[in-house]
Amino acid sequence: EHTELSANALTVLQKRYLRRDSQGKIIETPKQLFQRVAHHIASAEKKKEQRKWEQSFYETLSALDFLPNTPCLVNAGNPLGQLAGCFVLGVPDSIEGIYDTLKHSALIFQSGGGVGYSFSSLRAAGTIIASTHKLASGPLSFMEVFDSSCEAMKQGGVRKGANMGVLRIDHPDILSFITEKTHGKLQNFNVSVAATDAF
């Protein structure tokens, strides 16, 4: 039995979840969304069991007893096919590595996922860079770059991007990081201090 959706629920579905054509016109009903998601999820089951699981999952969705995350509702049965909501990416201590991670995070935001990073491997602000003999800007400066990238993805992505930034308690820039947490400029980050066993 299909549960009647509230006006607010329909508005959210229309803004974020229902399929659109190349002109941006909605071409899917809520019932078709539930069918699409149920069909895609059931496709992971044994062939002879798929129809049973598809029907069971459709009933659960249409009764609003359970709804999966945003990437699943948007991407199930679509070419992108990315169903996960949370990712963890490494941030290596090199310009190439940092910007590769930034590129990968933008692609994740585009598909509706969020990203967690540990910035602990980045050298401290003021450390000498061997290749240039200049001073490193430190993890916080790169977190601002990641924050700006996330902000830029708001318009074209599935939903507002979400970042989790982590720095170890024994990193030389930890006090600046903690200050950033309480008084900082980062608008698209949750930030957490990683406590070591020694601490």
Side-chain angles (χ1 to χ4, degrees):
E1 174 97 3
H2 187 72
T3 300
E4 181 125 359
L5 296 167
S6 69
N8 283 343
L10 283 170
T11 298
V12 171
L13 284 175
Q14 290 164 356
K15 282 187 175 178
R16 289 191 176 180
Y17 300 108
L18 300 179
R19 279 182 169 169
R20 295 176 180 271
D21 65 17
S22 58
Q23 279 74 48
K25 183 181 173 209
I26 294 171
I27 56 170
E28 183 176 59
T29 66
K31 179 179 179 179
Q32 290 169 326
L33 177 145
F34 295 146
Q35 288 171 332
R36 170 174 55 82
V37 172
H39 179 76
H40 183 78
I41 298 302
S43 69
E45 302 295 332
K46 293 177 184 169
K47 204 74 163 154
K48 62 181 180 177
E49 303 268 318
Q50 286 179 6
R51 185 70 190 120
K52 175 186 83 165
W53 286 111
E54 181 178 339
Q55 185 59 34
S56 176
F57 198 39
Y58 171 78
E59 289 169 8
T60 301
L61 293 171
S62 62
L64 304 180
D65 289 336
F66 169 79
L67 290 173
N69 63 10
T70 291
C72 187
L73 290 173
V74 173
N75 299 325
N78 287 332
L80 194 58
Q82 192 282 102
L83 307 184
C86 302
F87 294 80
V88 177
L89 297 177
V91 185
D93 190 29
S94 71
I95 287 296
E96 296 86 356
I98 291 166
Y99 282 92
D100 280 346
T101 299
L102 187 65
K103 175 185 80 175
H104 294 291
S105 67
L107 295 171
I108 290 167
F109 294 145
Q110 183 182 33
S111 68
V115 185
Y117 323 83
S118 174
F119 291 91
S120 301
S121 68
L122 298 187
R123 68 193 83 186
T127 305
I128 295 289
I129 302 168
S131 60
T132 63
H133 305 294
K134 302 286 185 186
L135 300 180
S137 57
L140 284 171
S141 66
F142 286 107
M143 288 180 73
E144 289 176 17
V145 173
F146 280 63
D147 191 68
S148 294
S149 174
C150 185
E151 183 71 25
M153 291 300 298
K154 280 182 182 176
Q155 189 64 33
V158 169
R159 62 176 176 176
K160 180 182 172 187
N163 292 311
M164 167 59 84
V166 177
L167 197 67
R168 284 172 50 116
I169 192 75
D170 54 5
H171 192 283
D173 292 353
I174 194 62
L175 293 179
S176 300
F177 181 83
I178 292 168
T179 302
E180 184 68 32
K181 182 179 174 88
T182 55
H183 301 103
K185 299 177 276 191
L186 301 176
Q187 297 302 304
N188 302 290
F189 263 97
N190 289 320
V191 294
S192 291
V193 174
T196 60
D197 289 342
F199 177 78

